[in-house]
Amino acid sequence: MPVVIGHRGAPGYLPEHSRSSYQRAIAAGVDAVEPDVVPSKDGVLVVRHENEISGTTDVSTRPAFADRRTSRVIDGEELTGWFTEDFTWAELQTLRCRERIPAIRPGSAAHDDIEPLLRLRDVLDLAREAGIGVVLEIKHAAAFARRGFDMAELVAAELRESGWAEAVDALVIESFEPLVLARLRERGIRVPLVQLIEADGAPWDLRERDGSEARTYASMLTAAGLDALADEVEGISPDKRLVLAPDRWGRAKGPAGFVGAAQGRGLRVFTWTCRPENAFLLPAYRRGGGRAALGDYRREWGVLRDARLDGVFVDHPDLGVEFFGGAARNS
């Protein structure tokens, strides 16, 4: 059975990356939780899905920070708002978490503006106390490098200080950008590394370095691409649509053949993200009731279960544990 990973905690029920969100995932029986990390101005690794935080905190309501609103290009996209790298950790601690998609998850939004932001250390401590694993995602390493932040060095230093640098059975590090994973390895971090794979496009760090010659995500799933990845990382984590391989009517044709091909090369295969709401399901598995209603998620997730994946990311940990089980409970 696959490892069940609480994606940013339990964001189907509580604002993502909040303490209560992680605690709910742990209580549901997940095998691991997944924090995303971005830096503060003073180099603290903050747990946020993105460094632009107007949609996941109450920063826009704080008059003291009104002058921090700015525009910035992140991975080719111009964003306007407030960015973690413009705040010290002490300042970020004064903010409160908010639901990122309140129209779809109003129940979670009811818990807005209650809990403070967390650091990576906070999540590592929660996981250690609960005896579960951590799948750590490094965000926007190339963009942060241009602003003077070495994400590989910041992560490596934090893992050494917290005693997680050698936690090869409890920690996995993932990123969409392969160069930051390579730099971690160069810094002596030996925990398993996983290449995240989008449904299209190319890693932004490779686009900056190689231009139009950059290796695409699609090329990573070819035989040659998987051969190369097997020499670089211990696993891959593609968008679930790639595993489901939908036809033009939105019906899953998968599991896709690259799953077995990757595992045959010794790579672990994860997928993201299992969400039960209609808004996130393939068209063939949606039901009435609107985007926020639960669809026929069990049929869609059944294709992923049939793929014999090594791990799945879930937003509703109770549903994920019930459906997929979990390695710790089925070994």
Side-chain angles (χ1 to χ4, degrees):
M1 302 297 290
V3 170
V4 178
I5 304 152
H7 182 241
R8 311 175 201 161
Y13 301 110
L14 294 160
E16 65 188 29
H17 293 314
S18 63
R19 182 176 294 273
S20 63
S21 186
Y22 284 109
Q23 289 173 331
R24 179 148 182 171
I26 291 167
V30 297
D31 300 299
V33 291
E34 186 239 21
D36 305 308
V37 295
V38 296
S40 69
K41 185 177 183 178
D42 46 349
V44 175
L45 290 172
V46 184
V47 179
R48 288 285 93 192
H49 175 53
E50 297 290 344
N51 55 321
E52 200 290 291
I53 54 173
S54 61
T56 60
T57 75
D58 63 347
V59 66
S60 65
T61 71
R62 304 299 184 95
F65 298 138
D67 62 351
R68 308 280 179 96
R69 189 173 188 268
T70 188
S71 295
R72 190 158 294 160
V73 176
I74 305 294
D75 296 356
E77 180 182 3
E78 184 172 352
L79 303 173
T80 297
W82 289 261
F83 297 83
T84 58
E85 62 268 30
D86 295 332
F87 295 79
T88 66
W89 171 238
E91 291 172 325
L92 289 170
Q93 282 183 286
T94 70
L95 302 179
R96 294 297 179 263
C97 298
R98 283 187 172 179
E99 169 55 45
R100 184 173 55 88
I101 46 175
I104 294 177
R105 292 175 174 168
S108 174
H111 300 272
D112 282 355
D113 302 345
I114 296 173
E115 296 186 69
L117 277 61
L118 300 178
R119 304 164 299 168
L120 174 60
R121 180 69 67 93
D122 299 321
V123 178
L124 294 176
D125 288 347
L126 278 170
R128 175 175 282 148
E129 182 179 351
I132 65 168
V134 172
V135 180
L136 164 61
E137 181 180 349
I138 300 174
K139 307 289 291 194
H140 307 304
F144 290 131
R146 292 196 304 276
R147 301 192 63 81
F149 297 95
D150 184 338
M151 290 298 286
E153 182 56 39
L154 289 174
V155 170
E158 180 63 36
L159 295 180
R160 292 191 177 100
E161 290 173 12
S162 62
W164 281 77
E166 303 297 329
V168 295
D169 295 323
L171 177 65
V172 170
I173 302 176
E174 61 182 6
S175 180
F176 287 103
E177 298 175 281
L179 299 182
V180 71
L181 297 178
R183 289 196 296 275
L184 279 170
R185 192 67 85 217
E186 291 167 0
R187 284 165 173 74
I189 299 301
R190 300 301 172 198
V191 303
L193 303 178
V194 169
Q195 174 66 53
L196 286 160
I197 297 176
E198 293 267 20
D200 51 36
W204 192 258
D205 58 346
L206 298 186
R207 291 175 64 179
E208 286 191 355
R209 187 189 70 179
D210 302 330
S212 62
E213 300 300 313
R215 179 170 45 159
T216 65
Y217 290 119
S219 72
M220 293 179 180
L221 299 180
T222 65
L226 291 171
D227 286 341
L229 285 174
D231 291 331
E232 300 167 359
V233 295
E234 284 69 47
I236 62 173
S237 187
D239 184 330
K240 69 169 184 175
R241 289 182 62 87
L242 294 170
V243 179
L244 295 169
D247 61 22
R248 61 178 177 167
W249 296 283
R251 299 174 302 199
K253 297 185 299 179
F258 71 78
V259 175
Q263 291 170 331
R265 289 165 169 80
L267 292 164
R268 297 164 68 186
V269 182
F270 303 82
T271 198
W272 49 274
T273 302
C274 293
R275 296 172 168 128
E277 298 104 334
N278 283 323
F280 306 111
L281 296 173
L282 293 180
Y285 308 115
R286 296 170 190 163
R287 291 175 172 167
R291 289 168 52 81
L294 299 192
D296 193 3
Y297 68 89
R298 296 180 68 87
R299 284 181 60 209
E300 183 183 277
W301 293 8
V303 179
L304 301 176
R305 183 175 57 192
D306 291 346
R308 299 185 180 277
L309 298 161
D310 295 281
V312 293
F313 292 84
V314 300
D315 277 10
H316 296 68
D318 56 337
L319 301 183
V321 169
E322 183 274 329
F323 187 82
F324 291 106
R329 293 168 299 283
N330 293 278
S331 59

